[in-house]
Amino acid sequence: ATLTSGLEKSIRDSEKALELVTEERQFMHKHEEHIQQRLQEQEEALQKSIEVAMTKASEVALEAALQAAALTAKNVMSSVSSKSAALAHGVHSRMAWQRQGSPDSVISS
């Protein structure tokens, strides 16, 4: 009888241990699912923030490129304008010099 009761106790203890292990595994599984979900949410949030940052960086780069292009255009226009003015001044000076040296201007004066 002692052997049988000892076996029965051992079986009951093993069944209790099995229940505890099963409960622990289920708890850990739920906990793991929760952790996986949190990590997935963090991954998604990071991906979104990277996308936003990359979009913002693209916008800033585009804005900088447009400003640089506008500045270049302004500088080119300013340079062309000053060269045109210098050229016009040169033409006027040459025309005035030619008038002064021409026989008509000598006679009329």
Side-chain angles (χ1 to χ4, degrees):
T2 353
L3 183 60
T4 306
S5 65
L7 280 174
E8 285 175 357
K9 184 183 180 318
S10 176
I11 291 171
R12 278 194 311 275
D13 289 349
S14 293
E15 286 173 342
K16 285 180 184 175
L18 178 61
E19 283 179 30
L20 289 173
V21 167
T22 302
E23 286 174 10
E24 182 69 16
R25 184 182 55 77
Q26 289 171 345
F27 171 79
M28 292 301 289
H29 182 69
K30 286 180 184 174
H31 191 63
E32 181 184 347
E33 284 178 348
H34 178 71
I35 291 172
Q36 290 285 353
Q37 183 181 354
R38 291 293 306 264
L39 289 173
Q40 185 176 352
E41 289 169 1
Q42 290 176 350
E43 283 177 351
E44 290 169 1
L46 286 168
Q47 286 173 342
K48 283 180 187 172
S49 80
I50 289 169
E51 288 172 14
V52 167
M54 289 175 71
T55 299
K56 189 65 177 171
S58 295
E59 289 172 1
V60 168
L62 178 59
E63 187 176 334
L66 290 173
Q67 287 176 354
L71 184 61
T72 300
K74 182 179 175 185
N75 289 341
V76 166
M77 293 300 289
S78 175
S79 174
V80 166
S81 176
S82 64
K83 285 179 183 171
S84 294
L87 183 60
H89 177 71
V91 168
H92 290 308
S93 298
R94 193 168 35 243
M95 288 174 66
W97 177 79
Q98 286 174 345
R99 267 184 266 139
Q100 288 174 358
S102 71
D104 293 341
S105 62
V106 172
I107 295 167
S108 63
S109 48

